[in-house]
Amino acid sequence: MRVDGREPLQLRPIHIETNYLKHPEGSVLITVGDTKVICTASIEDRVPPFMRGEGKGWITAEYSMLPRATETRNIRESSKGKVSGRTMEIQRLIGRALRAVVDLSAIGEKTVWIDCDVIQADGGTRTASITGAFVAMTMALNALAEKKSFPRFPITDYLAATSVGILKNDLTVLDLNYAEDSKAHVDMNVVMTGNGEFVELQGTGEESTFSYAQLQDLLNAAQEGLTELFEQQKNALGEEITRKIDARRAK
Amino acid sequence: MRVDGREPLQLRPIHIETNYLKHPEGSVLITVGDTKVICTASIEDRVPPFMRGEGKGWITAEYSMLPRATETRNIRESSKGKVSGRTMEIQRLIGRALRAVVDLSAIGEKTVWIDCDVIQADGGTRTASITGAFVAMTMALNALAEKKSFPRFPITDYLAATSVGILKNDLTVLDLNYAEDSKAHVDMNVVMTGNGEFVELQGTGEESTFSYAQLQDLLNAAQEGLTELFEQQKNALGEEITRKIDARRAK
Amino acid sequence: MRVDGREPLQLRPIHIETNYLKHPEGSVLITVGDTKVICTASIEDRVPPFMRGEGKGWITAEYSMLPRATETRNIRESSKGKVSGRTMEIQRLIGRALRAVVDLSAIGEKTVWIDCDVIQADGGTRTASITGAFVAMTMALNALAEKKSFPRFPITDYLAATSVGILKNDLTVLDLNYAEDSKAHVDMNVVMTGNGEFVELQGTGEESTFSYAQLQDLLNAAQEGLTELFEQQKNALGEEITRKIDARRAK
Amino acid sequence: MRVDGREPLQLRPIHIETNYLKHPEGSVLITVGDTKVICTASIEDRVPPFMRGEGKGWITAEYSMLPRATETRNIRESSKGKVSGRTMEIQRLIGRALRAVVDLSAIGEKTVWIDCDVIQADGGTRTASITGAFVAMTMALNALAEKKSFPRFPITDYLAATSVGILKNDLTVLDLNYAEDSKAHVDMNVVMTGNGEFVELQGTGEESTFSYAQLQDLLNAAQEGLTELFEQQKNALGEEITRKIDARRAK
Amino acid sequence: MRVDGREPLQLRPIHIETNYLKHPEGSVLITVGDTKVICTASIEDRVPPFMRGEGKGWITAEYSMLPRATETRNIRESSKGKVSGRTMEIQRLIGRALRAVVDLSAIGEKTVWIDCDVIQADGGTRTASITGAFVAMTMALNALAEKKSFPRFPITDYLAATSVGILKNDLTVLDLNYAEDSKAHVDMNVVMTGNGEFVELQGTGEESTFSYAQLQDLLNAAQEGLTELFEQQKNALGEEITRKIDARRAK
Amino acid sequence: MRVDGREPLQLRPIHIETNYLKHPEGSVLITVGDTKVICTASIEDRVPPFMRGEGKGWITAEYSMLPRATETRNIRESSKGKVSGRTMEIQRLIGRALRAVVDLSAIGEKTVWIDCDVIQADGGTRTASITGAFVAMTMALNALAEKKSFPRFPITDYLAATSVGILKNDLTVLDLNYAEDSKAHVDMNVVMTGNGEFVELQGTGEESTFSYAQLQDLLNAAQEGLTELFEQQKNALGEEITRKIDARRAK
């Protein structure tokens, strides 16, 4: 059995609170067990220099943790004067993942800035960030779509992420909390679309390795969790937006 | 009349939610109108080098805003690689203010790290930070006082802060929101103890000046607001802690 | 009695040497007791990006200390690669203070860069900087006014600063030197115009507090010192410039 | 057909030159097509602070490109004053991968510093770095093993890496060069041990996605290439070291 | 006798391999004994801001060492986040030296970026860099000269550099290796043109001094070595380019 | 004739004011024409890590310019967050030069920090810094020598520096001011001891070259100026210190 009493393939309780903040075009507080992340989407009316003139939009993401999101206090990256490798890796992942389900040509030369700020961490902060950021981004782009005559709805599918892993006792589990994650042999993050296609697969043996058979187990576990996450996203987004996404997926 | 319909000397609605986060020794979400700040207090079992061996504790504070706490997105200070002058000024102010009501000899060689993270900003973020941080710090030190036999309760008085200002139409107002603050002639932050003593007074004419008579008006306005803030702090802290503070004030 | 034999409300000897350097548009060596600051004013023919197109000028200030201005050597901020919070606080204060007595519309889109470099420090470096910088800036803008037909003389009043404080023995004193400042209970910097209006008031209890009655004592002490400082500034500026400022004050 | 005439599952020509430099404990110039990387291994006689006292060793890696390793000149990271997210991601990957095949307890409190410096880049620099670094590290640790009586040979298996991808025309290919990589739909890096276990799997849809069936194709392609890379490593390491590794694998 | 058996005025074996890399406009691997430097020349189609509009070109250089070019590993300057004083001194020297033999008006508003990356260091890395960079730069500019109708061939003379020094035993030696350099009393770098004119002379007593007579000995020794270096450069550049340079020298 | 009416081999007026500041162990304001530099010497009671345990002292130097020491305002290096190559080159030169005339074993494990802050610049700031710093350092070490029983007086000779150059009209001149320096063909800094030995020789053709004969002219010019500078240093140091240095030179 797992440290918090869950079944191996059971997600922690999820909650997605939309319109959490007043200023951003889209904002969400996503709760996955004790992990809590504020995800916001801000629209900027231009693209980075390397994309100018192509008539396409861009999605970029930043990720941070409050110093006391964790058990012991972390020094702020602003005080250290530099962003850690882990942070950079995560924010590159979030941006890349989201771009896979946005029709960038449909939004014109705009940048969507995604900010994921972890206010409480208990494992799975990067996957919660992706799952929450998808909702924030979709709400921001939907609001814009209602004001501007976009040639077509720009969100082409749902997008969510979860983690799976193999514990020391060889148990394959879904949605690891911090206690599990810090001791797992193998740790894998899976980002998937609503259609069951992979967007990103990052599996790592921690001073360890994993076989092809174990890979298959891990992917099955992930699939199970992602199915539930897509339902949560639909609930959070509401019927109208869900209908628009489904229309694009059908194409 | 004021832009949000308030009377000149009326505070915005205040709410202080304690134990907001799971990990920190003390944590608070303080809401002042649309301004929301997460204040946490973390205890570290040593003091900075310049204080070692004196047998006294230290209080230090950091302050930050989420990029989208504001109307338009701000670049993160971690991305810029340096902390702005405004941020430094605020975090120095918060730490200095809190140290005025802590009996540093009573806590031994410990550092209390205060983190104030603004998740939504609508004016008065530094004063809300001080008011909220006092509660988070008090709860953290009280918890420690219950475990360790401190020689005496270390909090010597209440501490809160508010802003006052003079608007373009010469109206003296209490607790300016962002719209008022950005256009005020004179802006003053007042940090005060429960006994009505000043800890910090920072008054600034914004390309403008103010007279001695106006100063007196501003201080009266501040006094009014602070009285209410102390009541809110007592409610948040609860009867038991309030009794301990009152016992120290009586000395 | 005070450590250097002064009366409580006695300033240290002041000297303002104008045209101290060859290159800057305005330059001053101000001596306040053993505190010596080189203040220069440089005119740049444009304003920062956030002010372009408004037809108004800007005043900005930088402050630094020679490494050996102090008792023990300080590491240069250029070697540390960042400017300290204290430095930032001081340079923001100097710039803000000076802007209160300049008619920014009268100078057009120009920036006045103020540099205050402390070559010897014995307390009160920030107030000496403001007092000296006012003279340097006025001389630079007057020289410009003589060449360009400004619509009106841009300096609207005198501006000086001093410090007051409450010593451990509860004595209220004017113009604290370093030995006094490092032990004072309460420390207050007052920036005032020639007309007796406040521009900036920064009072701080150092792990201590102060009452309303003490605040009044402090302000009276400051007023006394500032009256003498304005006389010194007039002497340094000379009759002709003094006449022009007085003409603007009369309006 | 591929841009350089290769079969879909054909590696580019590989060459591993050992003892390439005079000073390092282990050094290799690895050539994969037009990609050339100098990999060195340096032994330091202590571990990072977070590992002290555990009696175990550590492996850490740094990665860099000469400014003109690429088609157009890149600004040096030392000139920019910070290391890019891409560089951090790669150096974290290299270190993590190598640690999976080293018995860290066997080497005691030592750090192996791996430096991978790309002198010419044509795609696949991170996988070439891992493949080359394994050889440099093994030679350095073997040399040390001969001098110190390690309790057991510390390398537990071979380790190599390659890339696979899906081109725009849906062709699954092995070992992408830069021209292919910059246009591929899906890009996957696979790090594997000599026993065919995964150490790291990083698959990314570039503004695109991939199915479970495509994942299987990609993994088969990678397996093919890795088999050849292990042969090259054995040739470079020579019979004696190969025998020692094989002995550990047998356990 | 010298530590490696050379005569006092004998250079170490030199080799200059041209077209060492695929991408740069000019590239060289220069070997001087055990010192090995990759020198590349990249052409950029604009000049730095301070030179725009003058119709002249610019040469700028960067220098770096691989972390393990030396006996013990050096921390990368990119990790430290800043370039050392030694590195800056060397790259300023290289750029300045090369500019002395280029007719900057002849190349128009272009920048030649020189990169000298030391992959193995055994003393004399800065002089080897200059000698190698001259060849890389000349090949890059010659290639450009063949494509663009430059008004005249832009290289006006050969340029090479060597070191000379006085050892502890008062022996004057040419081309110091690291063992000699680290113990020499006096160390001098001489940069000279093919016509025997000085471009740069940097002589330093290392906690020591040198007389006028010793200076003359040092310069004679340098002259001897430089004569051989010019021959090596001619061989590397080939007859055709040599003829073009000689034509310009004749003027 | 020269731009300021001097003879080719005539120095500008020199003045060395000792004990210029109150806090440093040694301090000097050196004036060379319109160039003014504050040189201070601070004694620290330890040496840098790389020298600990050798029983020897160390001399290190830092150099800076006030932003408005020059015709147009320079951005502070503290604001830029890094020290320029030019500054690093100069401070390395100053430290190295001074170490040549200090018997480091005689002072034990102490560091002398030299700070040269240019308050007004008109060419020759690095040579004025060396000449002035020698006096400040000597006074600081002499004061220490009087308190501590040093085994012997640690200053072994005088040390001064000057610049020489060749103007566009081929005139060889001594002590170039800024107007001359910015247009000279050849620029050479010479650091020499009282005994006429070279400590440092840095000659540079600015997009130009110089012959052996010209080198001899330059060195003769430098010799002339240095003779006068040593006289000025003796006057500034006074008879007693001069006698001590002369005693050490005699050995």
Side-chain angles (χ1 to χ4, degrees), chain E residues 82-97:
Chain E
K82 60 179 176 181
V83 172
S84 75
R86 178 184 173 274
T87 294
M88 286 207 186
E89 217 170 281
I90 294 174
Q91 48 201 25
R92 284 159 56 90
L93 168 63
I94 299 171
R96 208 164 54 221

mmCIF file of all heavy atoms in Angstrom, chain E residues 82-97:
data_model
loop_
_atom_site.group_PDB
_atom_site.id
_atom_site.type_symbol
_atom_site.label_atom_id
_atom_site.label_comp_id
_atom_site.label_asym_id
_atom_site.label_seq_id
_atom_site.Cartn_x
_atom_site.Cartn_y
_atom_site.Cartn_z
ATOM 1 N N LYS E 82 31.101 35.311 -14.733
ATOM 2 C CA LYS E 82 31.882 36.450 -15.213
ATOM 3 C C LYS E 82 33.246 36.034 -15.733
ATOM 4 O O LYS E 82 33.783 34.998 -15.366
ATOM 5 C CB LYS E 82 31.998 37.543 -14.166
ATOM 6 C CG LYS E 82 32.664 37.141 -12.888
ATOM 7 C CD LYS E 82 32.719 38.370 -11.963
ATOM 8 C CE LYS E 82 33.306 37.979 -10.620
ATOM 9 N NZ LYS E 82 33.330 39.148 -9.723
ATOM 10 N N VAL E 83 33.744 36.891 -16.603
ATOM 11 C CA VAL E 83 34.996 36.662 -17.285
ATOM 12 C C VAL E 83 36.102 37.239 -16.407
ATOM 13 O O VAL E 83 35.974 38.331 -15.881
ATOM 14 C CB VAL E 83 34.917 37.335 -18.670
ATOM 15 C CG1 VAL E 83 36.241 37.317 -19.365
ATOM 16 C CG2 VAL E 83 33.848 36.648 -19.500
ATOM 17 N N SER E 84 37.175 36.507 -16.245
ATOM 18 C CA SER E 84 38.250 36.960 -15.354
ATOM 19 C C SER E 84 39.038 38.113 -15.957
ATOM 20 O O SER E 84 39.013 38.342 -17.168
ATOM 21 C CB SER E 84 39.204 35.806 -15.080
ATOM 22 O OG SER E 84 40.009 35.583 -16.218
ATOM 23 N N GLY E 85 39.768 38.810 -15.117
ATOM 24 C CA GLY E 85 40.635 39.884 -15.575
ATOM 25 C C GLY E 85 41.679 39.382 -16.554
ATOM 26 O O GLY E 85 41.945 40.023 -17.570
ATOM 27 N N ARG E 86 42.252 38.221 -16.271
ATOM 28 C CA ARG E 86 43.263 37.650 -17.170
ATOM 29 C C ARG E 86 42.678 37.420 -18.569
ATOM 30 O O ARG E 86 43.280 37.792 -19.583
ATOM 31 C CB ARG E 86 43.753 36.320 -16.593
ATOM 32 C CG ARG E 86 44.779 35.618 -17.465
ATOM 33 C CD ARG E 86 45.167 34.247 -16.912
ATOM 34 N NE ARG E 86 46.019 33.550 -17.847
ATOM 35 C CZ ARG E 86 45.564 32.810 -18.862
ATOM 36 N NH1 ARG E 86 44.278 32.674 -19.063
ATOM 37 N NH2 ARG E 86 46.424 32.228 -19.682
ATOM 38 N N THR E 87 41.495 36.820 -18.629
ATOM 39 C CA THR E 87 40.853 36.569 -19.924
ATOM 40 C C THR E 87 40.606 37.872 -20.669
ATOM 41 O O THR E 87 40.878 37.991 -21.868
ATOM 42 C CB THR E 87 39.524 35.824 -19.712
ATOM 43 O OG1 THR E 87 39.810 34.536 -19.206
ATOM 44 C CG2 THR E 87 38.741 35.696 -21.001
ATOM 45 N N MET E 88 40.100 38.868 -19.956
ATOM 46 C CA MET E 88 39.805 40.148 -20.611
ATOM 47 C C MET E 88 41.069 40.782 -21.165
ATOM 48 O O MET E 88 41.062 41.329 -22.267
ATOM 49 C CB MET E 88 39.179 41.099 -19.601
ATOM 50 C CG MET E 88 37.749 40.721 -19.306
ATOM 51 S SD MET E 88 36.869 42.200 -18.806
ATOM 52 C CE MET E 88 35.312 41.443 -18.350
ATOM 53 N N GLU E 89 42.131 40.716 -20.378
ATOM 54 C CA GLU E 89 43.401 41.288 -20.800
ATOM 55 C C GLU E 89 43.868 40.611 -22.097
ATOM 56 O O GLU E 89 44.315 41.282 -23.023
ATOM 57 C CB GLU E 89 44.413 41.021 -19.692
ATOM 58 C CG GLU E 89 45.383 42.128 -19.455
ATOM 59 C CD GLU E 89 46.184 41.866 -18.186
ATOM 60 O OE1 GLU E 89 45.641 42.106 -17.082
ATOM 61 O OE2 GLU E 89 47.343 41.409 -18.297
ATOM 62 N N ILE E 90 43.745 39.291 -22.133
ATOM 63 C CA ILE E 90 44.223 38.549 -23.306
ATOM 64 C C ILE E 90 43.371 38.847 -24.522
ATOM 65 O O ILE E 90 43.877 39.074 -25.617
ATOM 66 C CB ILE E 90 44.251 37.031 -23.004
ATOM 67 C CG1 ILE E 90 45.305 36.747 -21.922
ATOM 68 C CG2 ILE E 90 44.538 36.234 -24.263
ATOM 69 C CD1 ILE E 90 45.333 35.307 -21.443
ATOM 70 N N GLN E 91 42.052 38.875 -24.358
ATOM 71 C CA GLN E 91 41.252 39.085 -25.556
ATOM 72 C C GLN E 91 41.364 40.521 -26.083
ATOM 73 O O GLN E 91 41.343 40.729 -27.305
ATOM 74 C CB GLN E 91 39.805 38.628 -25.402
ATOM 75 C CG GLN E 91 39.049 39.054 -24.200
ATOM 76 C CD GLN E 91 37.840 38.117 -23.943
ATOM 77 O OE1 GLN E 91 37.817 36.955 -24.345
ATOM 78 N NE2 GLN E 91 36.839 38.614 -23.265
ATOM 79 N N ARG E 92 41.582 41.463 -25.189
ATOM 80 C CA ARG E 92 41.837 42.827 -25.661
ATOM 81 C C ARG E 92 43.154 42.887 -26.431
ATOM 82 O O ARG E 92 43.252 43.549 -27.469
ATOM 83 C CB ARG E 92 41.884 43.785 -24.482
ATOM 84 C CG ARG E 92 40.479 44.107 -23.945
ATOM 85 C CD ARG E 92 40.500 44.623 -22.512
ATOM 86 N NE ARG E 92 41.340 45.773 -22.322
ATOM 87 C CZ ARG E 92 40.942 47.044 -22.445
ATOM 88 N NH1 ARG E 92 39.701 47.300 -22.786
ATOM 89 N NH2 ARG E 92 41.774 48.038 -22.237
ATOM 90 N N LEU E 93 44.162 42.176 -25.918
ATOM 91 C CA LEU E 93 45.468 42.137 -26.586
ATOM 92 C C LEU E 93 45.367 41.533 -27.992
ATOM 93 O O LEU E 93 45.915 42.069 -28.958
ATOM 94 C CB LEU E 93 46.438 41.317 -25.727
ATOM 95 C CG LEU E 93 47.762 40.923 -26.377
ATOM 96 C CD1 LEU E 93 48.595 42.155 -26.733
ATOM 97 C CD2 LEU E 93 48.565 40.000 -25.455
ATOM 98 N N ILE E 94 44.668 40.409 -28.107
ATOM 99 C CA ILE E 94 44.578 39.727 -29.406
ATOM 100 C C ILE E 94 43.911 40.643 -30.439
ATOM 101 O O ILE E 94 44.402 40.820 -31.556
ATOM 102 C CB ILE E 94 43.800 38.399 -29.287
ATOM 103 C CG1 ILE E 94 44.501 37.439 -28.313
ATOM 104 C CG2 ILE E 94 43.631 37.741 -30.661
ATOM 105 C CD1 ILE E 94 43.681 36.188 -27.959
ATOM 106 N N GLY E 95 42.786 41.236 -30.049
ATOM 107 C CA GLY E 95 42.065 42.100 -30.990
ATOM 108 C C GLY E 95 42.920 43.285 -31.426
ATOM 109 O O GLY E 95 43.026 43.591 -32.615
ATOM 110 N N ARG E 96 43.559 43.934 -30.446
ATOM 111 C CA ARG E 96 44.378 45.120 -30.731
ATOM 112 C C ARG E 96 45.526 44.767 -31.666
ATOM 113 O O ARG E 96 45.814 45.495 -32.614
ATOM 114 C CB ARG E 96 44.931 45.630 -29.397
ATOM 115 C CG ARG E 96 45.207 47.088 -29.321
ATOM 116 C CD ARG E 96 45.358 47.502 -27.869
ATOM 117 N NE ARG E 96 46.355 46.700 -27.179
ATOM 118 C CZ ARG E 96 46.217 46.226 -25.925
ATOM 119 N NH1 ARG E 96 45.120 46.470 -25.233
ATOM 120 N NH2 ARG E 96 47.177 45.520 -25.380
ATOM 121 N N ALA E 97 46.153 43.624 -31.387
ATOM 122 C CA ALA E 97 47.297 43.218 -32.191
ATOM 123 C C ALA E 97 46.886 42.984 -33.649
ATOM 124 O O ALA E 97 47.520 43.492 -34.578
ATOM 125 C CB ALA E 97 47.922 41.952 -31.601
#
